[in-house]
Amino acid sequence: MELDFIDLRRGSADKYSWIPPFDSAVVYENEQWWDEVKYYYVREPWFVQVLEGGVEVARVELDDPGGINPTYTDVPAIGAERLEIQLIEVATAARERHVATHVVRGLAQRHPGRRLFAYSENADAFWDSLDWDRFDHPDGRHRPLFIQPVR
């Protein structure tokens, strides 16, 4: 699967009106993740539009460097090399083709000096399938944290 990764950043645009220029014709299950003007709270929003053959198949929101909740236990110390996958979603029409797996692997290849991590948003089986290290919060009420193993 050959994917193209297009970085989308706000730059000098107004922080209260900027919306990532995704393809509005592509359908996602969680449209609210992508269509609300909520990016004013992040100083430098960073999105990635993923294309296959010129057609959008996935979207990613990154947080650089992102933060690891210190109340999780036994989590290894990760310094400035960390890069958080805040959100990732595959377009409805591209589901069931392992696009998300290819996207995460592609992100790891694009950022070889970084260590990716994500909090699972009801996708524990997906993150488990990547063989990343899983950390559950002691109270059991927080989302599982998945961290890319050291390469």
Side-chain angles (χ1 to χ4, degrees):
M1 177 176 294
E2 189 170 326
L3 299 174
D4 295 311
F5 294 79
I6 313 298
D7 288 311
L8 305 172
R9 296 185 184 241
R10 181 174 55 219
S12 62
D14 183 306
K15 71 178 186 175
Y16 294 105
S17 63
W18 182 80
I19 297 174
F22 291 123
D23 185 343
S24 61
V26 179
V27 177
Y28 286 86
E29 185 176 314
N30 296 294
E31 291 286 345
Q32 72 279 6
W33 288 357
W34 313 108
D35 65 1
E36 296 175 0
V37 181
K38 59 182 178 184
Y39 309 113
Y40 60 87
Y41 68 90
V42 177
R43 183 181 187 124
E44 296 293 330
W46 182 5
F47 295 88
V48 180
Q49 180 182 40
V50 183
L51 307 175
E52 180 185 33
V55 175
E56 183 180 299
V57 293
R59 297 174 180 173
V60 180
E61 180 181 0
L62 298 173
D63 187 4
D64 187 8
I68 294 180
N69 182 334
T71 63
Y72 282 73
T73 56
D74 300 321
V75 175
I78 302 174
E81 75 275 10
R82 71 185 182 275
L83 179 61
E84 183 176 2
I85 299 174
Q86 192 71 256
L87 295 172
I88 180 171
E89 187 171 17
V90 174
T92 304
R95 297 246 170 140
E96 306 301 324
R97 296 182 26 233
H98 303 286
V99 171
T101 300
H102 290 284
V103 169
V104 171
R105 288 182 181 154
L107 289 169
Q109 289 174 348
R110 289 181 86 211
H111 305 285
R114 308 298 297 270
R115 191 150 173 215
L116 303 175
F117 71 98
Y119 292 92
S120 178
E121 189 70 40
N122 298 318
D124 299 3
F126 165 70
W127 293 106
D128 280 328
S129 76
L130 296 176
D131 291 327
W132 283 19
D133 299 324
R134 178 182 176 144
F135 301 90
D136 291 305
H137 195 276
D139 70 12
R141 294 188 312 251
H142 292 73
R143 300 175 295 164
L145 167 64
F146 288 87
I147 302 177
Q148 177 187 24
V150 176
R151 297 184 232 184

